Amino acid sequence: HVQLVESGGGSVQAGGSLSLSCAASEDTGRRSYCWGWFRQVPGKEREGVAAIYAAPGKRYYADAVKGRFTITRDYVKNTMYLHMNNLKPEDSAMYYCASEGSLWCEDWARETTYRYWGQGTQVTVS
């Protein structure tokens, strides 16, 4: 059973930056399957933020974060990152990472396609 552990959340002022990390306990080798970041605020559904799989240039972003967030993955460290710039108060949420989603991220924003989830890390922008 793969365990995902997020880190890097915190509080920041609007316009600031944060980077989140998601470390996996093992490499299943299924690199054509999607890894993603989601976020959720109380009372709302969890929404897809960004996703990636092991093909050059294959990254996906929600419209709300395009141009501000960058998703990367280090296959040696078995870790995924979300670099967040120009943060806005509406980016405040609990952020979750997920792995082994849809093949080639064809359905990257659908949370039910992901097999493993982290416990979440809080991001607060004021």
Side-chain angles (χ1 to χ4, degrees):
H1 181 77
V2 176
Q3 292 184 331
L4 303 178
V5 179
E6 299 107 333
S7 60
S11 297
V12 65
Q13 291 188 339
S17 300
L18 280 175
S19 290
L20 307 181
S21 299
C22 173
S25 59
E26 63 181 87
D27 181 3
T28 64
R30 294 161 60 91
R31 297 186 176 181
S32 294
Y33 289 82
C34 206
W35 281 49
W37 287 98
F38 287 74
R39 64 187 182 186
Q40 188 173 27
V41 296
K44 291 190 176 182
E45 292 186 354
R46 192 149 49 182
E47 63 172 357
V49 175
I52 188 170
Y53 77 97
K58 292 301 182 182
R59 305 176 184 181
Y60 306 85
Y61 297 96
D63 288 343
V65 306
K66 280 181 182 176
R68 301 187 298 121
F69 290 12
T70 302
I71 187 171
T72 61
R73 191 170 162 195
D74 185 327
Y75 293 95
V76 174
K77 295 182 178 180
N78 211 19
T79 300
M80 178 175 64
Y81 304 93
L82 186 67
H83 307 284
M84 305 182 293
N85 296 317
N86 191 21
L87 283 161
K88 304 176 181 180
E90 52 264 42
D91 294 318
S92 297
M94 184 71 79
Y95 282 71
Y96 299 89
C97 67
S99 70
E100 297 206 7
S102 55
L103 183 64
W104 306 319
C105 286
E106 287 188 344
D107 205 2
W108 72 269
R110 187 186 299 270
E111 64 175 299
T112 55
T113 66
Y114 292 83
R115 184 174 183 182
Y116 301 111
W117 289 84
Q119 81 288 352
T121 185
Q122 179 68 39
V123 172
T124 302
V125 185
S126 59

